[in-house]
Amino acid sequence: MTKKDIDPYATYSELRPASGKMGWELARGPEYWKYRREWEARPKRMDPGEFPIHLDIETTNACNLRCPMCPRTIMSLDKAGKVGFMDFKFYKSLIDQGVKNGLCSIKLNYLGEPLIHPDVVKQVEYAKKKGVIEVMFNTNAVALTEEMSRKLLAAGLDSIFFSVDSPYAAKYNKIRVGADFDKVVKNIKKFVELKNKLGCKHVQTRVSMVLMKNTKKELEDYKKFGVKVLGVDAVGYGELVEYPLKDDKYPKYFNPEFVCAQPFQRMFVMWDGVVTPCCVDNDRDLAMGDAKKDKLKDIWHNEKYERLRKTHANGKYYKIPLCRRCYIPVSSLKCRK
């Protein structure tokens, strides 16, 4: 049997300032490491388990920026629906279902900016009080005021990932349309300062960028900028892949051994309840169900999900149009752990 290409960390790569465990990792308990082992093992076994390990909860698809490379900027509202905010009652039902079934982690964003949701602090606090091991989100940090930072840390936030696409102010301001480089840098530095001052040793911080036309020097400068200027734990980056995405014939870009890890690890719940299986389904082409109508556990094991997993396990992901257009099977990114 040919060895399958199953990478639990295929969607991003990470640069660390040093080898070995970092401070936040040393502060995490055994339950955290048990869940991370399962995050790696479950897709390699091609076993979905009884329930997703992780929920990506899109608390809102609204955003305060217009970044040109972001699917949020160019998404089709005909498919993705109107812009809206998840109500707290529905959010609580997702957390309650998850905790009952062994949910380990959540991320409070998908297409939108989580900090502009008025309930973001309550969302973090509720999940932590219910026993979710890791609560995290990505943010552009524009709305990360000192007051917001204090409230998030007090609520129990575990990990925060800052999206900053260049160490150079002029380039950043051109990419992150609507943001101001100096303000964002100030906000992130203040969050890190408060984290350290308040003794929140377990909180993970990372700055991330989308690789576009970056020089080797810019990447080196970015690493120094993240660790030395901002003071974050690590520097991450994702890949912007540009190749024909609408070829419905046998794929030009093809990895015959590829099996996507995400249908075995995580579930995405949009602000209005639509459930999708992965991080590239911006237009909801592979909607698995509706969390406002059905239980998450039932959706996780429904016919659509099982068919998706079986198609991948059999090495035929290319028969699914969305998967055929996906960059992950041919991505060169590998997470450096």
Side-chain angles (χ1 to χ4, degrees):
M1 180 178 177
T2 306
K3 185 178 180 180
K4 296 292 185 180
D5 179 8
I6 308 174
D7 184 353
Y9 303 98
T11 58
Y12 79 102
S13 190
E14 186 177 88
L15 298 172
R16 295 179 166 221
S19 59
K21 288 186 176 181
M22 291 186 282
W24 68 267
E25 291 173 310
L26 294 172
R28 298 281 175 103
E31 61 178 4
Y32 171 79
W33 295 106
K34 180 180 178 181
Y35 124 66
R36 294 312 294 175
R37 287 192 295 271
E38 186 66 5
W39 177 266
E40 295 185 4
R42 193 184 284 187
K44 292 179 180 179
R45 297 194 306 262
M46 289 185 277
D47 170 22
E50 292 298 311
F51 196 82
I53 299 169
H54 171 90
L55 290 180
D56 291 88
I57 302 175
E58 182 188 66
T59 58
T60 181
N61 62 348
C63 191
N64 48 2
L65 301 183
R66 300 282 292 176
C67 307
M69 72 292 187
C70 180
R72 169 64 183 80
T73 303
I74 59 175
M75 74 179 186
S76 168
L77 289 179
D78 292 337
K79 288 187 176 182
K82 63 182 180 180
V83 174
F85 293 78
M86 183 177 288
D87 69 76
F88 195 57
K89 182 179 179 180
F90 177 53
Y91 171 81
K92 288 196 296 182
S93 76
L94 299 177
I95 299 301
D96 292 347
Q97 289 179 65
V99 171
K100 181 181 177 181
N101 289 283
L103 176 69
C104 295
S105 66
I106 61 170
K107 180 178 278 189
L108 297 178
N109 68 281
Y110 179 47
L111 290 179
E113 167 53 47
L115 289 184
I116 65 175
H117 196 299
D119 293 334
V120 63
V121 175
K122 284 200 305 181
Q123 290 163 350
V124 173
E125 185 177 46
Y126 187 80
K128 291 307 297 181
K129 284 185 176 180
K130 285 292 180 174
V132 177
I133 297 170
E134 185 172 30
V135 177
M136 67 189 98
F137 57 74
N138 294 1
T139 177
N140 56 42
V142 170
L144 189 67
T145 62
E146 179 175 345
E147 181 184 9
M148 176 61 75
S149 294
R150 288 182 180 275
K151 288 181 177 179
L152 288 169
L153 289 167
L157 185 68
D158 296 292
S159 298
I160 186 167
F161 310 125
F162 306 110
S163 300
V164 183
D165 286 291
S166 179
Y168 310 140
K171 185 172 183 179
Y172 169 89
N173 289 336
K174 185 176 180 180
I175 296 171
R176 292 276 161 179
V177 179
D180 177 79
F181 180 82
D182 293 333
K183 179 183 177 181
V184 167
V185 167
K186 180 181 177 181
N187 290 349
I188 295 172
K189 290 175 72 173
K190 176 56 69 173
F191 182 91
V192 173
E193 177 189 322
L194 287 170
K195 182 199 84 162
N196 295 332
K197 181 179 179 181
L198 297 172
C200 301
K201 296 180 180 180
H202 73 286
V203 176
Q204 174 188 188
T205 58
R206 186 173 72 219
V207 64
S208 301
M209 72 185 302
V210 176
L211 290 180
M212 291 177 277
K213 294 180 180 178
N214 308 98
T215 65
K216 183 176 180 180
K217 181 180 184 303
E218 183 174 5
L219 291 176
E220 287 300 316
D221 288 347
Y222 188 72
K223 183 178 178 181
K224 295 174 185 175
F225 165 73
V227 175
K228 295 183 179 180
V229 177
L230 298 179
V232 298
D233 297 307
V235 172
Y237 54 91
E239 188 174 22
L240 181 67
V241 179
E242 296 180 279
Y243 54 78
L245 296 179
K246 295 185 178 180
D247 181 7
D248 289 328
K249 298 178 182 179
Y250 192 80
K252 177 180 178 182
Y253 301 87
F254 178 52
N255 177 354
E257 309 308 328
F258 175 77
V259 176
C260 185
Q262 295 187 58
F264 303 97
Q265 297 169 317
R266 65 204 296 189
M267 173 189 283
F268 289 72
V269 184
M270 305 299 104
W271 74 271
D272 56 359
V274 173
V275 172
T276 62
C278 73
C279 62
V280 299
D281 194 7
N282 312 313
D283 289 328
R284 308 178 178 198
D285 292 329
L286 277 181
M288 296 285 110
D290 187 338
K292 289 192 172 182
K293 296 178 180 178
D294 299 306
K295 298 295 185 183
L296 295 178
K297 187 174 182 178
D298 292 337
I299 296 173
W300 187 242
H301 292 285
N302 69 16
E303 184 181 350
K304 289 183 178 180
Y305 249 119
E306 293 299 335
R307 185 166 59 246
L308 173 66
R309 296 185 188 107
K310 184 177 180 180
T311 301
H312 272 261
N314 290 336
K316 297 182 179 181
Y317 76 89
Y318 58 86
K319 290 194 173 183
I320 304 169
L322 179 70
C323 302
R324 180 164 62 242
R325 300 194 301 270
C326 180
Y327 76 96
I328 294 176
V330 294
S331 173
S332 62
L333 296 183
K334 297 293 181 185
C335 183
R336 301 175 186 180
K337 300 299 284 181

